[in-house]
Amino acid sequence: MGKPNLFLKVIGRIQGTLRYKLLTLVLFPIVLIMPIALALAIYWGASTTYAQLYLKVNTDLSVSHDIFRRIREDYLARLGRLTESYSFRTALEAQQLDAVQTQLAALKRSAGFTYLRLLDRQGNLYGRPADGAVPAKSSPSLVAALRGEPRVAVEIFDQAELERISPALARQNRLPLIDTDKARPTRRNTEDRAMMIRALHPVEDTQGRLVAVVEGAVSLNGNFAFVDTIRDLVYGPGSLPEGSIGTVTVFIDDVRITTNVPLRPGERALGTRVSNEVRSQVLDRGEAWIDSAFVVNDWYLSAYEPIEDVHGQRVGMLYAGFLEEPFRTALWRALGMLVLLFLLLMGISSLLAVVGAKSIFKPLEKMSQVVRATRAGGARRVGALASRDEIGELAREFDAMLDLLAERSRQIQAWADQLEHKVEERTAELQSKNQDLQRTIRALRETRQQLVVAEKLAALGELTAGVAHEINNPAAVMLGNLDLITAELGPAIKPVEQEIRLVMEQIYRIKDIVNNLLQYARPDEYAGYLTQVDVNGVVEHTLALVRHLRKQREFVINLSLQATGSVEINEQELQQVIVNLVVNAVHALPAGGGEIEISTRDWKGQGVVIRVRDNGMGMDDEAIGRVFNPFFSTKRTGEGSGLGLSVSYGLIRRYGGNITVTSKPGEGACFSVWLLSEPVMATDEETIEEQLHALL
């Protein structure tokens, strides 16, 4: 409590004494009057100078406007001289179109036209048949030219109009927009329109009748020669002080399409945009804008005016301006000389005040520096001072307080470091134990899955072999006895012939189920010979095997066979897989029938993919997850054994391929068979284990 009270007491004493010292310095008349006079002089000099500069840039804009107008008229005059020349008229009257085009090309090169062409009396390209007429861009200038009046005006061409003239012209007029501060927000990232000086001059015969119109246009997009010509005329040698540069720019809307304002050394600021303030005044309200402005990357004394097209619409802006820095530097140099004079006078009268204030301000400045250094994390101190007054005492107390705070901070940091170290040790131990526990859990899960797979594999093998043996023997005896009964009864079998045939069909069905079980459990015993197979041919041959299914319900099969490669596989097994998929698709169709699409495609250079798609009832996610499981079926009782897809899956996986399915309830299903050009044969245990893994 002692030190804060002492600090407040010292501060109070300093305030009283410091106020007296500062009043003594402030009451000097020279210090009070001279700064006011200096400020008035600086204000008057700056305002007068800038008023003259604004007048100059306004005059520069007017000159640029006049040069722009004269350039347009010059292009029209060049067309006039061509249309009135004897050689041009003679070639046109004789319909020597090659000679006409030669003269047009020569003028285009010499005058710098972007394009130059001849139009007929309907405004179409000259010499085209009526059914292949190519109309020129419609505008009031074209209408006037077709009446015999030469016209020149600014027109905006969009991408479609540029494409009709030349695809290359359309491409070269695509200008990427550059993000510019203070510009009006826009979603566009490219300016693809072109601003053209379009001149049209009629061609009349000796009787004064219109026979054609010469159309020429000069694109201002990226036309550096155009703006450089205006700049050289407006800002000729000696018009600006050394170090300043004059600039001229043409805008479409608020986008710079041609300019000599630099973006970087050697690069012009094409694609940059003007500020929203300038755009609102010039384009929205149609008023000229004259002021000092930050143009792209530096301050310029700038003037803008709207550019109107042939329709009288404001479509862009014309800008003239020059770099402000040399003028500003010269102004401040002059004002600096004025300030020096004032300072010289003030220095003599202020010497006493400076000497008197030094003892006051030096400790305060050191304390201010210490505060800034402490805020930045430094450990600076005021140190020894010659001053023995109240401010010196304050500085010494201030150093003592900072030393005390530094000591307290070091103690707190030491405690924090100890606590952080303990927390890190406990966290590392906990993370290590968690990692050990996770590895143990993963090992237990993997071991349990392997045991379940091995147990089910052994059980299924024994069950399948036993069931096949026990069922095949009675089935063979029944078939043999039925054949014997049929032979013994002869014609007397007619009354029960249908029933006996039905019994035999069911016995054969039992044998098929048993064979599918054996093929599922022992695929190596049923593997056939591998050959190079044309998948498209197998699909076409398979259609003959499923025609009988139309007796159950009507359906249409659409083929889209676009595979060009072949695969190495057993053809009969592939045919079995396709038949199974088609049969499943038929059973999924609605009672009134439906459509099945079978398509083949090349599979990214790896092989072929076969897709069987139907518009049947579809499946939910649960059914999709179990569709390849043995004995799982969505068919009605008696329509299937649930082994077809499981066997098909085992066959394809044995050759390194795969079968996938996508489906939604009510939207049909699509089965995809992925076949490798060169199969990667899997062992029986791998195939069976993979299929059994789906049952877990």
Side-chain angles (χ1 to χ4, degrees), residues 167-220:
L169 182 61
R171 288 192 300 271
Q172 75 184 34
N173 278 285
R174 292 191 181 97
L175 177 64
L177 299 186
I178 299 175
D179 289 337
T180 308
D181 291 341
K182 300 182 180 180
R184 182 175 295 181
T186 180
R187 294 183 178 179
R188 298 188 306 150
N189 53 25
T190 303
E191 176 59 68
D192 57 6
R193 298 173 295 166
M195 179 179 286
M196 297 279 194
I197 297 177
R198 188 186 185 197
L200 296 109
H201 202 289
V203 182
E204 298 177 347
D205 60 12
T206 55
Q207 284 76 34
R209 291 173 301 187
L210 179 73
V211 296
V213 172
V214 176
E215 176 194 12
V218 177
S219 174
L220 300 184

Side-chain angles (χ1 to χ4, degrees), residues 551-564:
K551 297 178 181 179
Q552 302 175 11
R553 52 174 59 85
E554 284 296 326
F555 60 88
V556 176
I557 294 181
N558 299 318
L559 297 181
S560 177
L561 307 180
Q562 300 183 16
T564 60

Side-chain angles (χ1 to χ4, degrees), residues 59-118:
T59 303
D60 295 341
L61 180 62
S62 299
V63 174
S64 300
H65 173 88
D66 187 59
I67 296 172
F68 191 7
R69 177 182 57 79
R70 291 184 181 181
I71 290 176
R72 295 198 300 267
E73 293 175 352
D74 181 64
Y75 282 122
L76 183 62
R78 287 171 180 263
L79 293 187
R81 288 193 292 271
L82 174 68
T83 58
E84 294 171 1
S85 66
Y86 175 78
S87 59
F88 183 81
R89 287 174 174 270
T90 302
L92 186 59
E93 289 176 0
Q95 291 297 301
Q96 297 175 354
L97 298 184
D98 290 341
V100 170
Q101 292 299 329
T102 300
Q103 296 185 52
L104 290 175
L107 179 60
K108 178 177 179 292
R109 287 191 302 271
S110 62
F113 282 99
T114 302
Y115 72 87
L116 190 62
R117 57 188 182 178
L118 189 65

Side-chain angles (χ1 to χ4, degrees), residues 195-348:
M195 179 179 286
M196 297 279 194
I197 297 177
R198 188 186 185 197
L200 296 109
H201 202 289
V203 182
E204 298 177 347
D205 60 12
T206 55
Q207 284 76 34
R209 291 173 301 187
L210 179 73
V211 296
V213 172
V214 176
E215 176 194 12
V218 177
S219 174
L220 300 184
N221 291 42
N223 194 336
F224 299 148
F226 176 80
V227 291
D228 290 350
T229 298
I230 298 179
R231 180 200 59 191
D232 294 342
L233 293 173
V234 176
Y235 300 107
S239 62
L240 295 173
E242 184 178 356
S244 183
I245 58 172
T247 56
V248 177
T249 301
V250 176
F251 294 79
I252 286 183
D253 285 344
D254 61 351
V255 179
R256 291 179 175 87
I257 59 171
T258 181
T259 182
N260 36 50
V261 174
L263 178 62
R264 285 179 288 270
E267 181 181 356
R268 307 194 186 205
L270 296 181
T272 57
R273 301 169 60 216
V274 80
S275 68
N276 186 46
E277 179 185 5
V278 175
R279 177 192 173 114
S280 299
Q281 182 167 328
V282 179
L283 289 180
D284 297 345
R285 298 196 295 272
E287 303 171 358
W289 193 93
I290 300 172
D291 204 345
S292 177
F294 192 79
V295 178
V296 181
N297 52 21
D298 212 335
W299 287 93
Y300 287 76
L301 292 165
S302 309
Y304 297 81
E305 70 173 13
I307 297 176
E308 295 184 352
D309 67 358
V310 68
H311 302 284
Q313 301 293 322
R314 293 188 289 272
V315 297
M317 294 181 289
L318 178 63
Y319 155 87
F322 47 85
L323 198 61
E324 181 182 358
E325 182 180 2
F327 293 94
R328 186 170 58 244
T329 302
L331 172 63
W332 288 114
R333 185 182 296 112
L335 295 177
M337 295 298 296
L338 181 62
V339 170
L340 288 177
L341 291 176
F342 275 99
L343 291 178
L344 182 61
L345 296 175
M346 291 180 63
I348 298 174

Side-chain angles (χ1 to χ4, degrees), residues 23 46 79 92 97 109 133 151 161 199 266 275 350 364 371 388 432 465 560 565 586 619 678:
L23 285 174
L79 293 187
L92 186 59
L97 298 184
R109 287 191 302 271
R151 290 293 174 88
E161 293 162 344
S275 68
S350 300
L364 292 177
V371 169
R388 299 298 177 183
S432 177
S560 177
V586 172
M619 295 179 288
E678 296 181 0

